[in-house]
């Protein structure tokens, strides 16, 4: 018999078992979920940070408990970076049109981003990232690459966020990413990079008024056949004015899939532009399946558009494409929670 006669011994034994169970449980649901801390950023009130970056700087290196940085409504004029060693941050605003981070750097892709995340395990919700160099559009200001957000961490997710710019708005650079009910605004290559991402229920707004010719929604950068990256747009809506291609390849194995999405009549009938892959389009995966609206399925689509079979569709459009280990469900905010 495990329990002896000594009362104190029994107590110690039971406590030991209880602590072991609690630890295992904490480990099972992911480190983090057990501890929570919220810090506040705002322009009013005292005892708060007045910039988002100082709040991020206050999170210790190698942090492993979720920290929610709650940002009051307002416009925050700063460049914000989440460094690699500050994981488990959730940045939460008061709504994507109420809380925004705005900066206007341009020219160089790697330094222009208003917001950059290098850390794994990052969540943002209800906040917008704006590069105002060409936004709102003013014909007297030359069009330049001007990144609103650069996403470089693995397991990064965004809920009801805005990404606003004109050229190169959202640099979905590398890592597995989930975008849920976000809005993305731009005109040229405005969702680009080698991220492995699902965009679900997002609104893509194309601003053709700023261009002479057609624009490009995506410029995906899958580099070779082993590269798992790709952009999957599921249940999305594409709206705007002017004319745009669905995408063009930034690298020779680019992969972009629009699934069950609705296109207003702004899509160039050819659909896709071969750009850097003009001499060999066979390695591209550009597909549309179950899409609706006047911009979908023209008879004049390029002949090399991919026809995915059931298995391939299943592979890319189910959440396991970016998450076969359950990280999305373990993050403090997820689609099931709210
Ligand atoms: C954004 O601000 C408006 C006006 O203050 C408010 O009515 C709305 O509820 C806010 N949105 C969110 C998501 O809090
Ligand atoms: C297609 O998208 C709509 C939302 O736009 C959603 O309500 C519907 O369930 C989706 N259908 C499929 C088959 O995924």
């Amino acid at each position: 018999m495990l329990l002896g006669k000594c009362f104190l011994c029994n107590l110690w034994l039971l406590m030991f078992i209880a602590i072991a169970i609690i630890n295992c449980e904490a480990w099972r649901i992911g480190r983090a979920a057990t501890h929570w801390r919220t810090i506040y950023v705002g322009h009013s009130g005292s005892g708060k940070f007045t910039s988002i970056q100082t709040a991020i700087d206050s999170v210790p290196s190698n942090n492993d408990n979720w920290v929610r940085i709650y940002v009051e409504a307002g416009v925050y004029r700063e460049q914000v970076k989440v460094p690699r060693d500050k994981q488990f941050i959730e940045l939460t605003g008061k709504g994507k049109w109420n809380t925004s981070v705005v900066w206007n750097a341009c020219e160089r892709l790697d330094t222009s981003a208003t917001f950059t995340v290098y850390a794994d395990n990052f969540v943002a919700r209800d906040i917008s990232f704006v590069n105002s160099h060409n936004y709102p559009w003013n014909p007297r200001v030359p069009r330049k690459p001007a990144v609103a957000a650069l996403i470089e961490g693995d397991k990064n997710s965004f809920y009801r966020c805005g990404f606003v710019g004109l050229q190169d708005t959202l640099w979905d650079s590398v890592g597995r990413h989930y975008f849920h009910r976000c809005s993305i605004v731009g005109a040229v290559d405005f969702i680009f990079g080698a991220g492995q991402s699902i965009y679900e229920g997002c609104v893509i707004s194309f601003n053709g008024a700023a261009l002479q010719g057609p624009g490009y929604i995506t410029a995906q950068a899958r580099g070779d056949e082993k590269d798992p990256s790709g952009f999957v747009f599921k249940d999305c809506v594409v709206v705007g004015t002017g004319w745009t291609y669905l995408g063009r390849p930034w690298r020779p194995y680019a992969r972009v899939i629009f699934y069950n999405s609705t296109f207003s009549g702004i899509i160039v009938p050819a659909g896709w532009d071969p750009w850097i892959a003009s001499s060999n389009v066979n390695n591209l995966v550009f597909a549309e399946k179950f899409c609706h609206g006047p911009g979908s399925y023209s008879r004049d689509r390029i002949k090399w558009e991919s026809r995915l079979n059931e298995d391939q569709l299943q592979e890319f459009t189910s959440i396991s494409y970016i998450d076969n280990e359950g990280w999305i469900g373990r993050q403090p905010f997820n689609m099931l929670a709210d």
Side-chain angles (χ1 to χ4, degrees):
M1 181 159 162
L2 197 56
L3 293 178
K5 290 224 172 80
C6 157
F7 176 72
L8 262 184
C9 308
N10 289 340
L11 200 62
W12 284 120
L13 183 66
L14 289 175
M15 270 174 67
F16 179 79
I17 292 171
I19 287 169
I21 289 172
I22 289 168
N23 279 337
C24 285
E25 184 63 9
W27 178 82
R28 192 184 65 76
I29 62 179
R31 39 197 206 147
T34 46
H35 293 84
W36 260 102
R37 197 155 67 85
T38 302
I39 52 186
Y40 296 89
V41 180
H43 291 143
S44 63
S46 58
K48 293 173 177 175
F49 293 98
T50 51
S51 79
I52 297 169
Q53 189 64 55
T54 51
I56 289 169
D57 292 345
S58 80
V59 174
S61 279
N62 306 317
N63 170 57
D64 60 4
N65 290 316
W66 281 100
V67 176
R68 170 175 288 169
I69 299 180
Y70 184 81
V71 189
E72 269 182 5
V75 176
Y76 295 79
R77 293 187 192 281
E78 53 179 317
Q79 260 181 316
V80 173
K81 288 190 176 65
V82 183
R84 243 200 118 63
D85 62 335
K86 301 206 176 178
Q87 293 194 45
F88 301 108
I89 288 178
E90 186 204 279
L91 188 64
T92 296
K94 267 296 252 175
K96 66 185 163 201
W97 308 128
N98 291 355
T99 303
S100 52
V101 191
V102 180
W103 197 250
N104 63 354
C106 62
E107 311 266 5
R108 278 188 50 183
L109 275 182
D110 55 340
T111 54
S112 70
T114 300
F115 173 78
T116 303
V117 50
Y118 298 109
D120 296 347
N121 295 299
F122 171 83
V123 180
R125 59 172 176 133
D126 299 304
I127 190 167
S128 286
F129 308 104
V130 180
N131 190 311
S132 63
H133 171 71
N134 288 128
Y135 185 90
W137 172 244
N138 173 352
R140 287 190 302 274
V141 179
R143 175 162 58 85
K144 297 271 172 62
V147 177
L150 163 56
I151 317 299
E152 292 239 308
D154 191 31
K155 302 187 234 179
N156 291 173
S157 56
F158 297 84
Y159 299 88
R160 300 189 303 243
C161 288
F163 302 91
V164 180
L166 189 73
Q167 179 166 339
D168 298 342
T169 305
L170 174 53
W171 191 355
D172 184 351
S173 174
V174 63
R176 294 169 294 169
H177 307 149
Y178 181 59
F179 299 87
H180 190 244
R181 293 211 215 158
C182 292
S183 299
I184 305 136
V185 180
V188 177
D189 302 334
F190 61 103
I191 306 173
F192 71 108
Q196 181 178 344
S197 300
I198 292 182
Y199 294 78
E200 189 167 0
C202 294
V203 177
I204 297 166
S205 300
F206 171 71
N207 179 10
L211 306 178
Q212 310 290 326
Y216 307 88
I217 295 170
T218 62
Q220 213 275 337
R222 182 168 172 252
D224 58 56
E225 62 187 32
K226 293 210 181 78
D227 181 344
S229 74
F231 296 162
V232 177
F233 296 91
K234 192 177 165 182
D235 311 349
C236 292
V237 179
V238 178
V239 295
T241 53
W243 283 102
T244 182
Y245 289 93
L246 294 170
R248 58 178 179 174
W250 192 19
R251 295 283 182 269
Y253 286 76
R255 178 156 61 194
V256 179
I257 298 160
F258 283 90
Y259 177 83
N260 186 38
S261 293
T262 305
F263 303 149
S264 72
I266 59 171
I267 310 301
V268 175
W272 308 89
D273 180 90
W275 201 22
I276 63 119
S278 323
S279 61
N280 181 8
V281 292
N282 297 327
N283 296 323
L284 303 174
V285 178
F286 284 162
E288 297 165 77
K289 193 73 181 178
F290 304 135
C291 291
H292 327 274
S296 62
Y297 300 114
S298 164
R299 258 179 296 156
D300 297 319
R301 282 290 191 269
I302 41 86
K303 296 289 173 273
W304 42 272
E305 186 168 64
S306 309
R307 286 174 182 75
L308 302 184
N309 64 33
E310 264 314 307
D311 289 348
Q312 291 166 317
L313 274 180
Q314 182 64 26
E315 176 186 350
F316 295 115
T317 61
S318 65
I319 204 77
S320 58
Y321 170 53
I322 57 168
D323 183 10
N324 51 21
E325 67 204 59
W327 62 268
I328 291 177
R330 283 200 295 269
Q331 292 188 328
F333 180 85
N334 65 71
M335 58 186 166
L336 307 171
D338 184 314

